[in-house]
Amino acid sequence: MTVPWPRAGERTSGGERSRSVRTATKGATKAASTRTTKGAAARIAVRPNGMRVAIGRTAAALGQWLRRPLTSLHLVLGVFGLLTLFGLVMVLSASSVQSLTADGSSYSVFTRQLMFCVPGLLMFWLGLRVSPRRLRSLAPAALVLGALALVTVLFVGETRNGSRAWFTFGTFSVQPSEAVKVALTLWGAHVLVARRAVMHRWKYALSPVVPVTVVLLTLLVLQPDLGMTISLGIVLVALLYFGGAPMRLILALSSGAVAGAVALALTAEYRMSRITAFLSPESADPQQAGFQARQALYSLADGGLFGQGLGQGRAKWSYLPNAHNDFIFAIVAEELGFIGAFAVLALFATLAYTGIRIAARSADPWLSLVVATSTTWLVAQAAINIGYVVGLLPVTGLQLPLISSGGTSLVVTMFVFGVLANAARHEPEAIAALKQHGQGRVARLLRLPLPEPYRAPVQRGRVR
């Protein structure tokens, strides 16, 4: 007889099976939840690791690019092009009001700066094309011509802002002291490299570079031009430091230079007023000695993070004197903000890294000393200019290389960048790469010769 309902034992067994199924289901759900939680935690943990991997890959790619044989040349050309274009844009913006007031056209100062770019690019090409051996052979003659120009300008030069430092040819003017810095760099490196084995002796470290530099500094003081005097002093210190002179000698000369600068400041009223305004800006007359520095700080404050906009600055409307020249960095900060100012600092920091990199890789000791000294001079001049614009240093009148308005400074700085690019092409790895793969179309268009490996000159005698 069939029973329509299950027996008691069968009901009990079914209940146990139901409980076991429910228990298994709960266990599976709990396990799945645990796995989901662990998977989410694993994904969260992977994200920082992924960022670290991305940063590591970027750093590896950057390191691989920096190890390429022509990286130094690309860095020099990149910095040169960006600074030149940025400088032209900012000169146009900063000088428009003064140009309109003085000449009736907003483009007069910019047009003059653009015209000086033509000989500047020609000098860049010469610095890039002429062989280092040829440049070294021309160094003594260049220094003699520079010294004669400094003497001549004292008698027939034009006086501007109390300094007789310019030769005037119609609407154009030339400042010979800018070229003297390059001539001293080339000649000083020529002398010190020949004596590098005995540079630890003060007699050979001092003579004849230091006496010749003192004569040049004296001619600059007679103009008088304190800013150019400081710049030439930086060239001398850089030559001695990278040339291997004793540190005690460098410190002694630096102390003498500081004492001389203080003496010069005390002998001229306008220099003393600048230093007084720097040391105690609260007590300085805001309409006289402290006017320029205070207006520069106002421009920096108005810029903020992103600036007022290119061409929208207010300081150039007769509030900030020399807005397109000595204080152009204030206009950069006002119109482009912290972002624009930081971009300028980043470009000069890249220049510093590139110059030291080329100097360290160069096989020619003369070329290495020239590159290290030129890089120090350019970066130090930029640091001094930015320093007195932001109020960290007293006003000295040094220009911001390739950005400030100034024809002679532009031409000379372009020539120096050409020499830096030439030195980058003469790195041993670059020479091997160019000979193996050949030069590009631009190099062939510029008729650049293949760089030759450095060959040490034959020593004819020993310095005693």
Side-chain angles (χ1 to χ4, degrees):
M1 182 176 182
T2 304
V3 181
W5 59 82
R7 296 183 177 89
E10 293 177 350
R11 288 198 300 268
T12 303
S13 177
E16 290 178 355
R17 284 196 301 268
S18 300
R19 284 194 298 271
S20 63
V21 169
R22 288 195 298 269
T23 303
T25 303
K26 291 181 179 179
T29 305
K30 185 176 181 181
S33 176
T34 303
R35 286 195 300 269
T36 304
T37 305
K38 289 182 177 180
R43 287 193 297 271
I44 295 174
V46 165
R47 289 176 184 173
N49 294 332
M51 293 179 61
R52 286 195 292 268
V53 170
I55 294 174
R57 289 178 179 175
T58 303
L62 179 61
Q64 184 178 3
W65 180 74
L66 291 176
R67 286 190 294 269
R68 291 182 179 179
L70 296 178
T71 297
S72 299
L73 176 61
H74 297 158
L75 285 172
V76 171
L77 296 178
V79 172
F80 171 70
L82 290 174
L83 283 177
T84 302
L85 293 176
F86 187 81
L88 289 174
V89 171
M90 292 312 305
V91 166
L92 174 61
S93 177
S95 65
S96 57
V97 175
Q98 181 176 339
S99 298
L100 182 63
T101 304
D103 304 320
S105 171
S106 300
Y107 303 99
S108 59
V109 174
F110 170 73
T111 303
R112 192 178 301 114
Q113 186 80 354
L114 192 62
M115 292 178 65
F116 270 104
C117 281
V118 177
L121 291 175
L122 177 61
M123 294 301 295
F124 173 82
W125 176 74
L126 288 176
L128 178 61
R129 192 178 189 280
V130 178
S131 66
R133 189 180 299 272
R134 182 63 174 167
L135 281 176
R136 184 173 181 178
S137 65
L138 294 175
L143 184 67
V144 172
L145 291 176
L148 291 177
L150 290 183
V151 174
T152 306
V153 78
L154 294 175
F155 299 97
V156 300
E158 180 183 359
T159 301
R160 296 181 183 178
N161 299 323
S163 177
R164 187 184 293 271
W166 284 267
F167 291 119
T168 303
F169 306 97
T171 59
F172 295 95
S173 58
V174 177
Q175 189 176 8
S177 54
E178 290 281 356
V180 169
K181 293 186 293 186
V182 180
L184 178 62
T185 300
L186 301 179
W187 175 79
H190 167 70
V191 174
L192 295 180
V193 164
R195 302 183 174 202
R196 61 184 182 275
V198 292
M199 282 296 293
H200 60 282
R201 301 171 62 179
W202 284 38
K203 172 183 176 181
Y204 298 109
L206 283 170
S207 178
V209 175
V210 175
V212 170
T213 306
V214 169
V215 172
L216 298 176
L217 292 173
T218 303
L219 294 175
L220 292 176
V221 170
L222 293 176
Q223 291 182 359
D225 191 341
L226 180 60
M228 200 59 62
T229 303
I230 294 174
S231 185
L232 199 66
I234 293 173
V235 171
L236 174 61
V237 172
L239 280 171
L240 294 176
Y241 177 78
F242 292 109
M247 187 58 64
R248 289 181 297 174
L249 171 61
I250 298 175
L251 292 177
L253 291 176
S254 301
S255 301
V258 172
V262 172
L264 289 175
L266 295 177
T267 55
E269 183 179 356
Y270 76 95
R271 299 194 195 106
M272 190 63 190
S273 62
R274 287 180 177 180
I275 295 179
T276 303
F278 168 72
L279 295 177
S280 56
E282 297 83 6
S283 60
D285 188 352
Q287 298 298 325
Q288 296 296 330
F291 178 77
Q292 199 171 22
R294 183 165 299 191
Q295 291 298 323
L297 293 179
Y298 290 159
S299 300
L300 295 171
D302 289 341
L305 181 60
F306 298 104
Q308 301 290 330
L310 186 63
Q312 303 302 314
R314 295 186 292 268
K316 59 190 176 187
W317 291 84
S318 301
Y319 290 105
L320 179 62
N322 295 322
H324 62 285
N325 197 333
D326 298 347
F327 281 80
I328 196 169
F329 185 76
I331 304 299
V332 172
E334 182 186 23
E335 295 187 354
L336 303 180
F338 173 79
I339 303 299
F342 181 78
V344 174
L345 295 176
L347 286 174
F348 280 104
T350 306
L351 173 61
Y353 164 76
T354 306
I356 299 303
R357 169 194 171 99
I358 297 172
R361 289 170 170 245
S362 178
D364 186 347
W366 175 80
L367 197 57
S368 176
L369 184 53
V370 167
V371 170
T373 302
S374 302
T375 302
T376 303
W377 148 39
L378 291 174
V379 175
Q381 183 170 322
I384 292 174
N385 176 275
I386 295 173
Y388 69 68
V389 169
V390 301
L392 297 177
L393 295 172
V395 179
T396 58
L398 285 176
Q399 296 177 331
L400 191 58
L402 289 183
I403 297 181
S404 294
S405 172
T408 309
S409 175
L410 180 68
V411 173
V412 171
T413 306
M414 284 186 168
F415 174 75
V416 173
F417 268 92
V419 175
L420 294 179
N422 195 351
R425 295 179 78 242
H426 279 81
E427 292 181 0
E429 296 84 357
I431 294 176
L434 290 174
K435 287 191 174 181
Q436 180 180 1
H437 302 289
Q439 301 194 106
R441 286 177 294 180
V442 176
R444 292 194 298 269
L445 180 64
L446 296 176
R447 303 180 64 85
L448 299 181
L450 279 172
E452 295 294 332
Y454 169 71
R455 297 177 181 177
V458 178
Q459 296 292 336
R460 297 182 179 180
R462 186 176 61 182
V463 179
R464 298 183 181 274

